C-alpha cells in the first residue's frame, strides 16, 4: 500500500470514527490497551495500517470531543529490532502530522509484558478558532 493510500485510509478511519466510532470514557493517562484492542476487534473496528494494528475511539480530551488513536507495534516479532521499532514509531508520527498538522496529545509507551509499544495520539475534532 503506497504512502498516499495509507494516509487516505487513515483519514477515512478517522472520519468514520468521528461519525460512528466506539466511545472511550477512560483516562488517556491509564489506558488498558489489551482491553481496548479486544473491544475494537469485537466490534470490527480494528484496522491494519503501516504494518501495525490500529484502533480509534471517540473520547473527551480537555473538555472537547476528540478521537483517540492507538497503534500497536509488536516488539518481539522476528522482523523487528530496536531500529525497526523506532522507525515504525517515527512513521506513525509523520503520518499523523501529515494528516492533521497538529495533535493534542502524543505518547509512546512500551509494556514489555505485552511485547508491544503503544503509540497513542489524540486529536480534538471540533477545534474552535481563537
Amino acid at each position: 500500500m503506497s504512502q498516499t493510500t495509507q494516509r487516505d485510509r487513515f483519514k477515512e478511519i478517522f472520519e468514520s470514527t468521528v461519525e460512528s466510532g466506539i466511545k472511550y470514557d477512560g483516562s488517556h493517562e491509564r489506558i488498558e490497551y489489551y482491553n481496548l484492542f479486544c473491544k475494537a476487534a469485537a466490534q470490527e473496528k480494528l484496522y491494519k495500517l503501516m504494518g501495525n494494528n490500529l484502533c480509534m475511539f471517540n473520547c473527551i480530551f480537555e473538555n472537547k470531543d476528540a478521537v483517540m488513536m492507538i497503534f500497536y507495534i509488536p516488539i518481539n516479532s522476528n522482523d523487528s529490532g530496536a531500529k525497526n521499532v523506532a522507525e515504525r514509531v517515527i512513521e506513525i508520527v509523520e503520518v499523523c502530522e501529515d494528516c492533521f498538522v497538529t495533535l493534542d496529545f502524543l505518547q509512546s509507551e512500551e509494556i514489555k509484558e505485552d511485547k508491544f509499544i503503544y503509540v497513542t495520539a489524540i486529536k480534538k475534532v471540533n477545534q474552535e478558532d481563537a
Side-chain angles (χ1 to χ4, degrees), residues 15-128:
E15 289 165 9
S16 170
T17 301
V18 170
E19 291 173 16
S20 62
I22 305 167
K23 182 76 175 152
Y24 173 69
D25 293 319
S27 166
H28 66 280
E29 294 171 1
R30 303 189 81 221
I31 298 171
E32 294 183 11
Y33 297 104
Y34 181 75
N35 291 346
L36 289 180
F37 183 92
C38 292
K39 186 176 185 178
Q43 296 188 30
E44 296 182 7
K45 300 285 187 182
L46 184 61
Y47 307 97
K48 194 82 162 169
L49 197 68
M50 299 175 287
N52 305 300
N53 287 310
L54 163 70
C55 53
M56 295 190 191
F57 300 88
N58 287 315
C59 67
I60 301 295
F61 183 74
E62 296 176 345
N63 298 317
K64 304 270 189 225
D65 289 336
V67 172
M68 179 173 69
M69 302 158 263
I70 303 174
F71 289 86
Y72 296 77
I73 305 171
I75 54 176
N76 260 1
S77 65
N78 294 334
D79 66 342
S80 67
K83 182 179 179 192
N84 185 302
V85 170
E87 288 170 352
R88 289 168 81 174
V89 170
I90 290 167
E91 181 182 23
I92 289 167
V93 172
E94 286 174 348
V95 168
C96 289
E97 287 177 343
D98 284 350
C99 290
F100 305 117
V101 181
T102 60
L103 295 168
D104 298 293
F105 177 83
L106 181 65
Q107 170 183 291
S108 174
E109 182 176 5
E110 178 179 346
I111 300 183
K112 286 186 170 40
E113 304 82 60
D114 293 356
K115 297 182 178 165
F116 279 96
I117 288 181
Y118 304 100
V119 177
T120 304
I122 298 177
K123 177 69 179 167
K124 294 176 190 168
V125 291
N126 290 329
Q127 295 281 0
E128 295 171 8

